[in-house]
Amino acid sequence: MSQFFYIHPDNPQPRLIGQSVDVLKKGGVVVYPTDSGYAIGCHLEDKDAMTRICRIRQLDNHHNFTLMCRDLSEISTYAYVDNSAFRLIKNNTPGNYTFILRATKEVPRRLMNDKRKTIGLRVPSNPIALALLEQVGEPLMSTSLILPGNDFAESDPEEIKDNLGKRVDLIIHGGYLGQQPTTVIDLTNDTPVVIREGVGDITPFL
């Protein structure tokens, strides 16, 4: 049975954040809140945990995973970012965006898009997600918690507990969240391309 932590959505308790990070560092799969619904994630280098996530979400080998980052310095470690892309990211993070960028060698190959060698990166604004990332000290391998047959990320932690209580190591209850997806922006070329319009305003990228 998974652990179930009630963490304050605005003022996350450091003790519970520390215990959550311990679960991640031991190879655990964790469900946690973001600014676009609940996500499921694991330690960046943990291949077994990633396999479990793929099984839960019924993902194939072509799924684009996201690195959830705490700040811009992490983004520049894991992706090639030119000056114009850096300014765009800086002006719109943290927030409801996922940026597609060319991956550096720091990104495990299994997380990259096979053909394009790209990776999705996010800097969330959710206080719980940011507190987790700060204590982990590196990005989390992450994907939205969209269960098979559904179109949107899960928003109700009690329902997540009912559905996944025996399949993940920790569920963080950080409140009941909206289900609006992030806006996805491809910054691999000179001109930004809006891949998916979500809750993030697309105006800065037009």
Side-chain angles (χ1 to χ4, degrees):
M1 197 72 180
S2 62
Q3 299 184 74
F4 194 71
F5 292 170
Y6 289 89
I7 297 184
H8 195 282
D10 299 316
N11 299 292
Q13 303 93 314
R15 177 180 60 85
L16 292 177
I17 292 294
Q19 291 177 14
S20 302
V21 170
D22 287 343
V23 173
L24 285 163
K25 288 186 173 180
K26 290 175 181 174
V29 171
V30 174
V31 173
Y32 66 100
T34 74
D35 28 13
S36 58
Y38 278 83
I40 184 167
C42 66
H43 204 258
L44 186 60
E45 299 291 342
D46 201 312
K47 190 175 181 179
D48 290 341
M50 178 182 165
T51 300
R52 290 172 59 199
I53 290 172
C54 290
R55 205 173 290 136
I56 288 167
R57 279 213 47 196
Q58 296 182 12
L59 300 174
D60 60 28
N61 294 332
H62 304 296
H63 180 75
N64 291 311
F65 287 99
T66 298
L67 296 187
M68 199 72 76
C69 301
R70 58 181 165 165
D71 57 29
L72 290 176
S73 68
E74 287 192 337
I75 286 182
S76 59
T77 298
Y78 293 93
Y80 295 106
V81 187
D82 63 24
N83 290 337
S84 60
F86 184 85
R87 283 194 297 273
L88 283 169
I89 295 170
K90 182 178 180 182
N91 291 337
N92 294 281
T93 54
N96 295 294
Y97 297 96
T98 300
F99 299 103
I100 306 299
L101 293 156
R102 287 183 298 116
T104 68
K105 291 180 180 179
E106 298 297 319
V107 178
R109 288 183 64 86
R110 66 181 181 278
L111 300 185
M112 294 182 196
N113 178 290
D114 269 350
K115 293 181 180 177
R116 300 184 64 210
K117 306 304 181 205
T118 55
I119 187 69
L121 295 121
R122 279 193 64 191
V123 179
S125 59
N126 182 282
I128 295 173
L130 284 173
L132 274 178
L133 292 167
E134 190 65 39
Q135 281 211 34
V136 170
E138 64 182 357
L140 289 180
M141 195 293 294
S142 189
T143 186
S144 298
L145 181 56
I146 303 172
L147 295 178
N150 293 346
D151 296 322
F152 297 101
E154 295 296 304
S155 60
D156 184 338
E158 297 289 348
E159 287 187 5
I160 296 170
K161 183 180 179 181
D162 291 341
N163 290 324
L164 296 181
K166 295 180 180 178
R167 302 184 68 188
V168 299
D169 299 287
L170 170 64
I171 298 167
I172 294 175
H173 188 314
Y176 298 90
L177 308 177
Q179 293 179 306
Q180 291 177 296
T182 59
T183 292
V184 180
I185 308 291
D186 188 328
L187 294 176
T188 55
N189 296 307
D190 293 339
T191 304
V193 176
V194 178
I195 303 296
R196 179 182 72 197
E197 186 172 353
V199 68
D201 182 13
I202 64 170
T203 306
F205 305 96
L206 297 178

